[in-house]
Amino acid sequence: MGTLRIFRQPILALGIALLLGTSTHAQEVVNLRAELEVLRFEIEQTRIAAEAETNPRVQDTIRQRLAVQRLSELLVQNRIYALDQGIDLAFTVPAIEPDDALADEINLEILMAEERINESVRRARGARGTALELALQRIEEEKLEVTYLRIAYYQARFGIYVPASPDAGAPPVRPERRASISAQPWADPGYPDVDYSHPLFRSSYEDGARISGWWIITQDRLVSGGRGDIFAQNLSHANFLASADQANARLYLQCENRVASLTFHLPDRYLSSSVASGSTRQSFEVSYRIDNADLERSRWDAEIAGQGASVSGFEAITVISRLYGAEALYIEIKEADGDRHDARFRLAGVEDVVDLVAEACRWHSLDLNREDYRLLQKLLNIMGFDAGIEDGIWGGRSRQAMMNYQRSVGLPSTGNPDIATLELLGLGS
C-alpha cells in the first residue's frame, strides 16, 4: 500500500538531510518531493481504476478519490514551489502552524484504515453478485477515507493550508483536541485525544450522564444494596468517514436487573437472522477481535428490533471483562443471507464502564481458582443440580447447573458464580 512509502521515505530523507547539514526549508522540500512522487503514482493508479470500473456507483467514488488526490497534488506542488523560490510563507502562501503530535495520530489512523481495507479486500474475494458490488463500494469508500486523512496529515505535518474544494469537497476537519478540553465542559480530561464534538456527548452530559473517553454512561435508578442499572454506549464510530455500515455503528455495554449484556447495534437497518440448531431464538453469527488477539466466533441473539446482535449472561461477562485495558474491539455480524457488517470501536475510557457494569451486576472482585470451582461443583451436585465431574473446570454443564440453581432461588440465571450467588451459598466474604 502507498501509506508506508509516504511516511517512511520522508523520514529517511530527513535523516539524510540532517547528516548533510542542509537547511530546514531544504529538508522540507526533500520530504515534500517524496510525498509528491507517491501521490503521482497513486493518481495514475486511481485514474486507471476509474476508467476500468463499470459499476457507476463504484466509479463515482473512485472519481471522487481522484479529485481529492489531485487537490493533494496541487497543495504539495504549491508548497514546493514556494520553498524553492524562497517565498515568505507567512505572507504569500496560506499556512498554519504544524502539529507533529496530531500528524502522528493521523498517521496511525491511516494505518488502521489500511488494515480495514485489507480485511475488506480479503472478504470480497469470496463474494458474488450484489454482495461483491457492495464489497467493492465499501473498499472504495475506505480508500477515499485514507485520501482525506492524508490531506489532514499534510496540514498537520507541514502546515499546508487546506481550502474547501468545489470538486472534491472539504477534507475532514481535524478536532483541536487540546483546545476541546477547555472549550467543552463535557470532555473527559483523562482522554484528550477523543473527538467530543458529537452532539450526543453534549446532550447526554446536560441530562446528567457521565462521559468517560468514547463512552456515555447513564445510571437509570438505585436498587437496594448497590448501584442501579448501568447503560453505556460507545460513540467512536459516530463521526468517521466510513462505509454506511460503519458510520453509525454503536456498541452498548449494560447491566439491567443484574444481568450483563453487550450489544452491537446498527441503526436504521433490519438484519435477517436465523434460528441455530437446538435453539428457539433468532440469532446471528458474530466474529470479534479484542486488540490484536485471534478472531473469535460466537452466536449472539438478535435484538428485538432486528438491528443488531446481543450477548448476555456468562458469555457477556467473559467478553466484557476482557475489554478492561484493551484499546479496540472489532465486531462482524453475518446475516442469514450471507451479508456482513462490521465496525472497529476504540475503547478509551472502557475501564470505568467495566467497573460500573461489574459492580451493578455484582461480579466485581471475584478471583476464583480451580479449587473454588471444584467446591462449587460439589455443592451444586449435593443440592441436586447436576454439575458433572467435580474437576474445577467451569464448562457448559457446570454453567447450566448454576443457572438452574440461580433460577430456583430467584437470582438472575447467568450461570456465573457472582457475588450474590456465593453469598446465598454461604461462601461470600
Side-chain angles (χ1 to χ4, degrees):
M1 300 298 295
T3 298
L4 294 181
R5 292 183 62 196
I6 279 183
F7 296 109
R8 287 179 179 170
Q9 286 188 11
I11 291 171
L12 177 60
L14 178 58
I16 294 172
L18 288 172
L19 288 173
L20 295 176
T22 55
S23 68
T24 303
H25 278 188
Q27 294 168 16
E28 187 171 346
V29 168
V30 171
N31 296 346
L32 287 168
R33 288 193 187 280
E35 302 280 357
L36 187 60
E37 177 187 347
V38 176
L39 264 174
R40 286 173 173 167
F41 172 79
E42 293 183 342
I43 286 171
E44 180 62 16
Q45 295 299 306
T46 305
R47 185 189 63 77
I48 293 172
E51 291 178 355
E53 182 57 55
T54 57
N55 183 305
R57 184 177 176 184
V58 176
Q59 189 180 58
D60 285 345
T61 306
I62 296 175
R63 285 174 174 168
Q64 186 179 359
R65 176 158 57 98
L66 182 60
V68 178
Q69 287 174 332
R70 285 175 171 157
L71 172 62
S72 303
E73 180 188 28
L74 179 62
L75 293 169
V76 174
Q77 280 180 320
N78 286 345
R79 175 54 64 89
I80 292 173
Y81 175 78
L83 292 171
D84 278 343
Q85 298 300 314
I87 297 172
D88 190 335
L89 296 177
F91 297 100
T92 309
V93 179
I96 61 173
E97 187 70 23
D99 185 339
D100 286 339
L102 181 56
D104 289 339
E105 291 179 27
I106 298 170
N107 185 10
L108 181 59
E109 287 190 37
I110 290 174
L111 294 176
M112 291 166 56
E114 288 198 330
E115 183 181 318
R116 292 196 298 272
I117 291 172
N118 290 334
E119 278 194 51
S120 297
V121 169
R122 284 194 292 270
R123 287 197 299 270
R125 287 173 185 157
R128 297 289 184 275
T130 302
L132 177 59
E133 290 183 9
L134 291 173
L136 293 176
Q137 174 66 20
R138 175 176 186 156
I139 290 168
E140 290 305 326
E141 289 171 346
E142 290 171 335
K143 287 180 178 179
L144 179 60
E145 175 189 1
V146 170
T147 305
Y148 276 127
L149 285 171
R150 283 184 184 165
I151 290 186
Y153 172 81
Y154 300 149
Q155 178 172 313
R157 182 69 76 198
F158 301 108
I160 295 177
Y161 172 73
V162 183
S165 166
D167 296 322
V173 177
R174 304 303 305 166
E176 294 296 334
R177 293 182 171 91
R178 295 165 186 80
S180 71
I181 298 305
S182 58
Q184 298 170 327
W186 55 89
D188 183 349
Y191 301 96
D193 291 338
V194 170
D195 177 3
Y196 294 102
S197 62
H198 194 282
L200 267 179
F201 277 123
R202 177 173 184 169
S203 61
S204 299
Y205 172 79
E206 291 174 347
D207 288 340
R210 173 179 173 181
I211 309 299
S212 178
W214 283 111
W215 299 86
I216 296 173
I217 307 170
T218 57
Q219 183 174 334
D220 291 338
R221 64 180 184 274
L222 291 175
V223 295
S224 176
R227 290 186 178 272
D229 292 346
I230 298 295
F231 178 80
Q233 61 175 317
N234 182 294
L235 291 185
S236 67
H237 250 288
N239 289 331
F240 293 103
L241 288 169
S243 69
D245 288 344
Q246 295 183 3
N248 292 308
R250 295 287 190 274
L251 177 66
Y252 302 144
L253 301 187
Q254 68 184 106
C255 176
E256 184 177 12
N257 295 324
R258 293 187 177 171
V259 177
S261 64
L262 182 153
T263 302
F264 177 37
H265 182 71
L266 292 168
D268 305 320
R269 286 181 174 272
Y270 182 81
L271 309 177
S272 60
S273 56
S274 60
V275 178
S277 176
S279 175
T280 59
R281 296 182 177 181
Q282 294 289 324
S283 60
F284 296 99
E285 291 182 29
V286 172
S287 301
Y288 64 90
R289 176 187 291 116
I290 300 173
D291 285 339
N292 295 319
D294 292 337
L295 194 67
E296 300 183 47
R297 291 176 172 80
S298 183
R299 196 159 189 100
W300 294 4
D301 291 337
E303 277 191 306
I304 295 176
Q307 295 178 313
S310 179
V311 61
S312 61
F314 184 81
E315 186 177 356
I317 290 173
T318 301
V319 178
I320 293 171
S321 298
R322 291 170 56 202
L323 296 182
Y324 199 96
E327 296 181 356
L329 173 64
Y330 168 82
I331 303 181
E332 178 187 84
I333 184 171
K334 181 181 178 182
E335 294 191 62
D337 60 9
D339 284 352
R340 298 173 185 268
H341 312 272
D342 65 4
R344 189 175 188 275
F345 298 95
R346 301 185 217 182
L347 300 178
V350 72
E351 291 82 7
D352 288 339
V353 176
V354 173
D355 282 341
L356 289 170
V357 171
E359 186 174 352
C361 281
R362 306 193 73 187
W363 91 74
H364 191 59
S365 76
L366 289 183
D367 185 17
L368 304 181
N369 58 34
R370 189 161 180 172
E371 289 303 315
D372 296 326
Y373 284 118
R374 184 180 284 115
L375 175 59
L376 286 171
Q377 290 168 330
K378 185 178 185 66
L379 287 174
L380 289 169
N381 285 332
I382 289 174
M383 292 185 294
F385 300 95
D386 183 12
I389 300 173
E390 296 165 13
D391 55 5
I393 299 174
W394 201 253
R397 195 165 177 179
S398 298
R399 284 196 293 271
Q400 186 60 54
M402 179 61 79
M403 290 175 66
N404 292 339
Y405 168 71
Q406 289 169 326
R407 192 178 296 113
S408 71
V409 294
L411 291 174
S413 54
T414 65
N416 178 51
D418 53 32
I419 291 176
T421 304
L422 295 185
E423 286 177 349
L424 200 59
L425 288 170
L427 302 176
S429 56

